[in-house]
Amino acid sequence: MSGAGTSLSTYHKALATLGLPGPVDPATTRQAFLRAVKAARPDHADGDAERFREVIAAWHTIQARTPDCPALAPPARRAAPLPTLSITPHLALYGGRVETAHRGRTFRLTLPAGLRAGDHIRLKGAGRDDADLFLAIRIRPADGLSVLGNDVFLQTEVSPRVLADGGRVEVQTHAGPRNAWVVAGLEPPVRLRLRDLGLPARGRHPRGHLFVTLTPAEDAPSAAEHLLDRFARVWTTAPLAA
């Protein structure tokens, strides 16, 4: 008889520890064990370390008595995270040179414009046994810009009067100043879309847009104040040049 080293009384005691009145099919036995071990976990408020050990011992006893009772699968090991390369939104927009170090070596890379989060860059011979290593791209927020998918996001402050009355606003973007119009009476925050100022098209990815969130700030100049300031600078410079 299989499991001859396990006495019948010990086997029935183990079943009772799991709350089973007698032998049942392996799947039901395993479910009973999972319920009992979860309830007894010492890190739970109602758990008990001694009870937890008894449940584990009972499960081992039942396994020894009934070899067809499935063993618990070992906990799944988390896969090691893939190495990444963090870049700024500006590098994602325009590309450029970066340095990264792996396994004691420094690599100088020239990144193309239009990289998206999740794209991969290859480092030749940087992996084990001189294999190529692939770095997943991450785009971290910087300089007031963030990137999601193909689009770039910017937050800027404007006068509350502009949001109340509407009118033209000049937004300082990564591509230089751009004008946009605000409809009167919108509740803040107001989001504008500036077409084709997101990440450039690359591969299967289309060109993105720039989304600008306007937030009210008392010290932000209004459109009229901005025009007056520009006029004053030009008017002052012209007489001096004369």
Side-chain angles (χ1 to χ4, degrees), residues 24-172:
V24 292
D25 61 274
T28 303
T29 304
R30 185 174 186 275
Q31 290 174 2
F33 164 70
L34 293 176
R35 286 194 301 268
V37 79
K38 182 178 180 180
R41 280 179 54 175
D43 56 336
H44 284 183
D46 298 328
D48 179 84
E50 182 62 30
R51 171 68 178 171
F52 185 78
R53 287 191 291 268
E54 290 177 356
V55 170
I56 297 294
W59 176 251
H60 289 162
T61 298
I62 295 170
Q63 283 187 301
R65 183 79 181 186
T66 55
D68 55 340
C69 188
L72 287 180
R77 298 182 61 183
R78 293 184 178 180
L82 293 176
T84 60
L85 177 64
S86 293
I87 64 174
T88 64
H90 190 273
L91 276 172
L93 283 160
Y94 300 109
R97 296 184 63 82
V98 296
E99 290 188 359
T100 185
H102 286 277
R103 302 181 69 193
R105 297 171 57 188
T106 299
F107 296 84
R108 295 175 177 83
L109 308 173
T110 301
L111 303 181
L115 285 174
R116 267 68 171 176
D119 286 350
H120 290 81
I121 294 295
R122 182 176 66 176
L123 299 184
K124 290 187 176 181
R128 295 185 180 276
D129 301 323
D130 295 326
D132 292 346
L133 180 67
F134 291 85
L135 305 181
I137 292 294
R138 294 180 56 192
I139 306 175
R140 64 180 187 274
D143 302 321
L145 298 176
S146 59
V147 175
L148 180 62
N150 303 319
D151 302 318
V152 178
F153 296 82
L154 169 68
Q155 183 168 305
T156 189
E157 295 179 341
V158 296
S159 168
R161 186 168 182 176
V162 172
L163 298 181
D165 299 341
R168 186 184 65 82
V169 293
E170 184 177 88
V171 181
Q172 298 298 325

Side-chain angles (χ1 to χ4, degrees), residues 229-242:
D229 180 63
R230 290 181 62 184
F231 173 78
R233 289 199 304 269
V234 172
W235 186 86
T236 303
T237 306
L240 290 176

